Amino acid sequence: SVSINLRNTKKPEENGECMQLKWEDKAAQSLLNKLIRNNLVNTTNQVEVLQKDPNSPLYSVKSFEELRLKPQLLQGVYGMGFNRPSKIQETALPMMLAEPPQNLIAQSQSGTGKTAAFVLAMLSHVDPNNKYPQCLCVSPTYELALQTGKVIEQMGKHYPEVQLVYAIRGNKLQRGMKLQEQIVIGTPGTMLDWCGKFKFIDPKKVKVFVLDEADVMIATQGHQDQSIRIQRMLPKNCQMLLFSATFEESVWNFAQRIVPDPNIIKLKREEETLDTIKQYYVLCNCKEEKFQALCNIYGAITIAQAMIFCHTRKTAGWLAGELSREGHQVALLSGEMQVEQRAAVIERFRDGKEKVLVTTNVCARGIDVEQVSVVINFDLPVDKDGNPDNETYLHRIGRTGRFGKRGLAINMVDSKMSMNILNRIQEHFNKKIEKLDTDDLDEIE
Ligand code: ADP
């Protein structure tokens, strides 16, 4: 396998200078998705392509053979169980592997094959006979860099001449040394120091520069500036590649500063709808009554697997305790858990080891557990100002067309305020949420 050169990689201090919670949340979310994802997100949406030169032909491949990869790499790709390129890879790969190299900005949701695509591009472009860095890849955090490193290791399994090194805080090198590894992956600050201050890397010899998770990256000013400073040291003909899961204005502005004359690929998210969901609400007076209503529902209908959302950690913890006292196998997902612990909980739930997952609103954002047929909002989703969080509501209970299975959503209402939130959600989606009488549950099935 690719020999990984991990010199003294201590986990960097987490309480860094300008880390904001929001940024940490984004990075953690992204890592969580990587840890629990074991296959591609399918999509029926078409990719949108904007070519730098609209007159040049647009190539798209349906197989990995068409790419004329080095046999060692093709073996690596098949070894990972990939049969054919993913939707985004169909167009991104020929663009990235073209001669002369083309720059690319690509956006698609997590799990659609971006990492595998740029890893393949990096491995294809290195010359293993040259013992100096030729590909640089920057990621927002140490942990995310390690995840990408693992993919390089897997895909390059049959290409042991290519070596990899991590440019991350804590990885201290001797002054004056020159790196021999062809691929360097790391965080922007250390990468910048290694190119500039310490000169471990000669940036003028770099052929490919990858900026991953641009949306997470720009959430700190520091990372954005450092990335731009690295980019400026690179030769003009260096291939620049930038990837992002989302594309707000700010990400787009940053992308254009990093990647000159880009081709652009965008893959829309599959739309979620409430059409195949039966939505109900239950009227209660307090959380104990909500719990009682929940028990009644469990007594009346067969629920294979349910996710229950609470507003606070305290409520989630309390509810999980009450439910397990009732004999349910409960998993609890909570904000104070390490990302790896959270991933383990979600995996167990996905494997059906637990039937109920109780979680806080923040914790489960962006996590897809497709087989769940019942979603219970023990507390309704609200934003920090107490307004209905329609987007979260939709993402939580909505289904994409592909998983057109019928679902059931039950909302617990316990005050005038929450009734008002419910009404506003109902108006927003223009979909009736029916009242459910938990003492008489015949209508529900
Ligand atoms: P992203 O970077 O967009 O989040 P990844 O490259 O990490 O997506 O891919 C998501 C998952 O799909 C990973 O488990 C990866 O191994 C797998 N995968 C990627 N490309 C393919 C492919 N062409 N065929 C099958 N699985 C793939």
Side-chain angles (χ1 to χ4, degrees):
S1 77
V2 174
S3 46
I4 302 293
N5 203 340
L6 259 179
R7 299 186 183 93
N8 178 30
T9 52
K10 271 194 285 205
K11 196 170 163 157
E13 298 291 319
E14 287 290 47
N15 53 355
E17 320 78 80
C18 54
M19 279 190 200
Q20 288 144 8
L21 190 71
K22 194 174 155 236
W23 173 74
E24 286 183 314
D25 276 354
K26 275 192 173 176
Q29 188 63 67
S30 183
L31 180 63
L32 191 56
N33 268 321
K34 281 189 201 288
L35 293 175
I36 59 179
R37 171 93 51 217
N38 51 19
N39 52 16
L40 270 175
V41 168
N42 273 310
T43 164
T44 52
N45 285 338
Q46 285 304 310
V47 289
E48 256 180 71
V49 182
L50 234 119
Q51 283 178 284
K52 166 189 75 161
D53 173 8
N55 296 322
S56 73
L58 178 64
Y59 294 108
S60 151
V61 290
K62 293 288 176 200
S63 74
F64 287 110
E65 276 84 8
E66 290 170 70
L67 292 167
R68 314 210 165 280
L69 300 166
K70 292 195 179 76
Q72 306 96 302
L73 290 179
L74 194 61
Q75 213 182 339
V77 167
Y78 286 141
M80 291 175 82
F82 301 179
N83 297 322
R84 67 189 66 81
S86 72
K87 202 84 179 180
I88 190 148
Q89 289 164 1
E90 287 178 359
T91 31
L93 285 172
M95 255 175 204
M96 291 193 288
L97 300 179
E99 279 302 334
Q102 304 193 23
N103 291 347
L104 174 68
I105 295 175
Q107 179 225 352
S108 64
Q109 83 186 80
S110 132
T112 46
K114 298 186 294 297
T115 307
F118 71 70
V119 164
L120 190 54
M122 289 199 295
L123 286 168
S124 298
H125 285 310
V126 294
D127 181 345
N129 297 319
N130 291 336
K131 307 288 180 209
Y132 52 76
Q134 300 155 45
C135 303
L136 309 184
C137 172
V138 289
S139 288
T141 67
Y142 163 88
E143 289 84 358
L144 288 164
L146 282 188
Q147 291 305 313
T148 304
K150 279 190 192 154
V151 181
I152 299 176
E153 198 178 353
Q154 280 179 300
M155 207 174 273
K157 193 172 166 195
H158 306 282
Y159 202 12
E161 308 92 290
V162 178
Q163 297 212 330
L164 166 68
V165 63
Y166 290 94
I168 49 190
R169 246 195 301 173
N171 198 356
K172 298 261 184 287
L173 307 186
Q174 228 173 5
R175 288 218 168 232
M177 81 158 312
K178 302 284 173 213
L179 288 174
Q180 307 215 326
E181 292 82 359
Q182 294 89 349
I183 301 179
V184 188
I185 163 160
T187 46
T190 307
M191 190 72 88
L192 179 62
D193 284 348
W194 284 19
C195 289
K197 193 154 94 190
F198 298 122
K199 302 199 163 41
F200 298 143
I201 300 168
D202 180 357
K204 286 283 165 255
K205 292 183 173 165
V206 173
K207 295 196 283 191
V208 184
F209 178 58
V210 179
L211 198 145
D212 194 18
E213 313 245 8
D215 49 350
V216 182
M217 204 76 96
I218 65 148
T220 59
Q221 188 61 39
H223 277 179
Q224 190 167 161
D225 290 350
Q226 287 157 350
S227 304
I228 289 169
R229 285 170 62 197
I230 297 167
Q231 194 265 10
R232 284 197 192 134
M233 294 182 195
L234 305 172
K236 282 277 163 293
N237 62 352
C238 174
Q239 183 178 37
M240 315 274 176
L241 307 169
L242 179 142
F243 299 85
S244 186
T246 61
F247 238 162
E248 305 126 56
E249 188 73 18
S250 53
V251 181
W252 177 236
N253 290 338
F254 174 55
Q256 287 180 307
R257 293 182 68 187
I258 287 276
V259 188
D261 300 324
N263 291 303
I264 300 161
I265 299 182
K266 286 188 195 187
L267 181 61
K268 280 218 193 70
R269 254 192 113 94
E270 210 87 5
E271 301 248 344
E272 284 157 326
T273 83
L274 297 176
D275 288 346
T276 50
I277 309 292
K278 280 292 257 181
Q279 302 175 76
Y280 292 101
Y281 74 93
V282 183
L283 211 52
C284 307
N285 288 309
C286 56
K287 73 170 195 246
E288 285 75 18
E289 266 189 44
K290 292 204 266 189
F291 174 65
Q292 193 50 54
L294 195 56
C295 292
N296 291 353
I297 293 166
Y298 260 100
I301 62 170
T302 323
I303 298 177
Q305 270 196 315
M307 270 176 98
I308 308 181
F309 291 90
C310 302
H311 194 57
T312 64
R313 279 182 207 176
K314 204 171 147 217
T315 311
W318 169 81
L319 183 61
E322 293 295 301
L323 282 166
S324 45
R325 254 191 293 286
E326 287 285 313
H328 294 283
Q329 300 157 270
V330 186
L332 176 64
L333 200 61
S334 180
E336 69 263 13
M337 292 171 139
Q338 296 281 315
V339 177
E340 287 80 5
Q341 285 179 303
R342 285 194 243 167
V345 169
I346 293 167
E347 258 178 342
R348 285 180 56 82
F349 181 69
R350 259 200 342 202
D351 295 344
K353 298 202 172 93
E354 274 103 16
K355 307 292 176 210
V356 192
L357 180 68
V358 179
T359 176
T360 55
N361 295 337
V362 180
C363 234
R365 186 160 299 157
I367 293 165
D368 306 302
V369 185
E370 285 138 12
Q371 77 267 30
V372 174
S373 56
V374 181
V375 174
I376 293 163
N377 287 319
F378 199 77
D379 297 302
L380 292 168
V382 289
D383 64 20
K384 59 183 193 325
D385 304 318
N387 291 313
D389 184 347
N390 294 316
E391 199 187 323
T392 299
Y393 185 86
L394 176 66
H395 186 64
R396 222 179 250 181
I397 72 172
R399 296 290 144 100
T400 61
R402 286 167 299 121
F403 305 111
K405 287 182 288 190
R406 273 172 59 96
L408 182 65
I410 299 174
N411 298 292
M412 305 278 187
V413 169
D414 64 354
S415 63
K416 276 218 176 69
M417 213 167 71
S418 53
M419 194 65 220
N420 172 271
I421 303 276
L422 186 90
N423 284 331
R424 285 162 69 189
I425 290 174
Q426 184 171 254
E427 271 166 40
H428 177 88
F429 293 106
N430 195 20
K431 281 260 168 337
K432 182 116 182 95
I433 306 178
E434 315 244 15
K435 185 169 176 188
L436 189 67
D437 179 359
T438 50
D439 295 323
D440 173 19
L441 282 164
D442 292 344
E443 58 189 296
I444 198 168
E445 274 190 314

